[in-house]
Amino acid sequence: MAERRRDALQFPESEREFLEPHLPPKHRADDNTSRVFTTLTFATSLDSSLALSPGTQTLLSGPQSKAMTHYLRSRHQAILVGVGTAIADNPSLNCRIEGVGGYGGDGLEGQPRPIVLDPNLRWDFSSDSKVLALAADGRGRAPYVICAKHPSDLKRVLLEQRGGKFITLNISDTGPSKGKLDWTDILQALRDHGVQSVMVEGGGAVINNLLQPHYATLIDSVIVTIAPTWLGQGGVVVSPPRRCSADGTPVPAARLRDVRWHPFGEDVVLCGKLQ
Ligand SMILES: NC(=O)c1ccc[n+]([C@@H]2O[C@H](COP(=O)([O-])OP(=O)(O)OC[C@H]3O[C@@H](n4cnc5c(N)ncnc54)[C@H](O)[C@@H]3O)[C@@H](O)[C@H]2O)c1
Ligand SMILES: Nc1nc(=O)c(N)c(NC[C@H](O)[C@H](O)[C@H](O)COP(=O)(O)O)[nH]1
């Protein structure tokens, strides 16, 4: 067993039971399921904000719900964020729960694969990126970057040296992701690259795009941390595109069913299904 780290997070067994029905099944090496178990998860304020303003990171989760998010990371093979989040937050995108690889456990066991959705190759991971530093240090995996352009050889080689890769997909010319990458293609590409479960963490553009009815059948689970604060106007807001019925009357954009709530410290965590 590797050395114990002082920065490792604890998430008690007693809290895990509540989450179990909302998590992907524990994977077997011979599991040939063709779809990727997809969890949409984020932390929001009472006014549906993810951050105080675009381009800034805002701490919303308290210590207990933060530990819960890290436990979720340990239970998925990958974590996906948009490039806006990669640039604004310089996130670690690893799992820091006591006992996973790099935090008291062996190898990289329990460490998810970071996935960054970066169609136009905006993310400069070559300078000061926490994800790559953690991968070099054996405390996380190197990212897969999903793009729509061919990367420079310099970027490709740097990523591949650390164990990551670029996955190039075609921009969609129809449907709710016209001009972007289609989620069916993104999830299929992840499956083709060996990923069986992914938690999509944000940010705003990613969540609002994915919360459209067209994609409801792709999402297996929704887990939202709600923090007791209002961030105020001008934030990065979760609010998917408006929907209307045939006669033009507005109807809710999306709604959860089979909902369960659980307090974690001062926050509450809500789990449900979209379909
Ligand atoms: N509270 C939380 O849980 C949480 C989680 C993640 C991020 N955040 C915050 O959210 C903010 C970032 O959000 P944002 O909306 O600016 O950026 P984002 O992270 O949603 O990234 C947006 C970019 O991702 C790419 N993208 C998204 N959907 C795509 C698609 N279908 N096809 C191709 N490319 C696609 C595009 O390049 C787009 O510009 C930051 O402030 C961050 O701190 C908060
Ligand atoms: N659960 C959660 N609570 C928050 O208060 C918050 N701001 C995020 N934000 C999610 C986003 O993906 C961040 O970029 C990562 O949470 C950065 O965290 P790491 O460095 O990877 O631990 N997520």
Side-chain angles (χ1 to χ4, degrees):
M1 180 70 102
E3 179 195 344
R4 193 173 173 181
R5 291 185 60 95
R6 266 185 294 162
D7 56 347
L9 301 169
Q10 310 287 333
F11 187 63
E13 283 295 333
S14 55
E15 306 282 25
R16 299 183 183 197
E17 198 183 323
F18 161 76
L19 293 166
E20 198 55 42
H22 308 280
L23 294 175
K26 296 202 168 141
H27 299 293
R28 300 191 321 261
D30 62 347
D31 188 345
N32 285 324
T33 44
S34 57
R35 34 184 328 276
V36 180
F37 188 104
T38 303
T39 301
L40 179 59
T41 184
F42 53 92
T44 179
S45 67
L46 295 175
D47 47 353
S48 202
S49 253
L50 299 173
L52 281 163
S53 63
T56 59
Q57 185 176 30
T58 305
L59 185 63
L60 285 164
S61 304
Q64 288 100 327
S65 54
K66 180 181 173 184
M68 181 214 67
T69 298
H70 277 261
Y71 175 66
L72 296 183
R73 288 180 174 186
S74 76
R75 293 291 305 273
H76 291 78
Q77 290 182 344
I79 316 179
L80 184 148
V81 295
V83 64
T85 300
I87 292 171
D89 295 7
N90 190 10
S92 301
L93 300 179
N94 70 345
C95 173
R96 304 193 283 280
I97 288 282
E98 171 83 42
V100 306
Y103 293 81
D106 295 328
L108 287 175
E109 208 178 313
Q111 284 296 347
R113 171 76 61 189
I115 313 284
V116 178
L117 202 51
D118 185 12
N120 297 313
L121 300 169
R122 284 166 55 207
W123 185 36
D124 178 13
F125 50 76
S126 60
S127 63
D128 202 27
S129 132
K130 282 192 200 159
V131 182
L132 259 73
L134 286 161
D137 199 31
R139 286 189 286 143
R141 294 181 197 271
Y144 291 174
V145 179
I146 302 188
C147 57
K149 287 182 172 170
H150 287 288
S152 68
D153 283 347
L154 204 69
K155 274 184 125 178
R156 186 181 53 74
V157 169
L158 174 60
L159 202 55
E160 289 176 359
Q161 274 171 346
R162 296 282 165 83
K165 60 176 117 166
F166 284 98
I167 299 172
T168 308
L169 300 179
N170 292 322
I171 292 288
S172 171
D173 51 14
T174 53
S177 291
K178 189 173 175 184
K180 303 180 184 179
L181 301 174
D182 191 88
W183 285 96
T184 312
D185 298 340
I186 293 167
L187 295 175
Q188 184 58 51
L190 292 182
R191 187 67 197 86
D192 294 344
H193 288 267
V195 172
Q196 291 167 307
S197 57
V198 62
M199 57 190 270
V200 177
E201 283 202 14
V206 164
I207 296 167
N208 290 329
N209 184 219
L210 196 50
L211 273 177
Q212 298 181 88
H214 187 79
Y215 297 126
T217 55
L218 300 180
I219 303 174
D220 298 277
S221 188
V222 179
I223 303 179
V224 182
T225 295
I226 302 168
T229 181
W230 288 268
L231 294 186
Q233 294 171 14
V236 178
V237 171
V238 174
S239 184
R242 170 176 279 245
R243 283 177 74 198
C244 290
S245 60
D247 66 1
T249 319
V251 294
R255 191 192 154 90
L256 293 174
R257 65 172 173 84
D258 299 343
V259 168
R260 303 284 303 277
W261 299 81
H262 190 82
F264 282 95
E266 292 193 335
D267 303 335
V268 67
V269 169
L270 125 69
C271 301
K273 289 184 177 14
L274 269 176
Q275 313 142 38

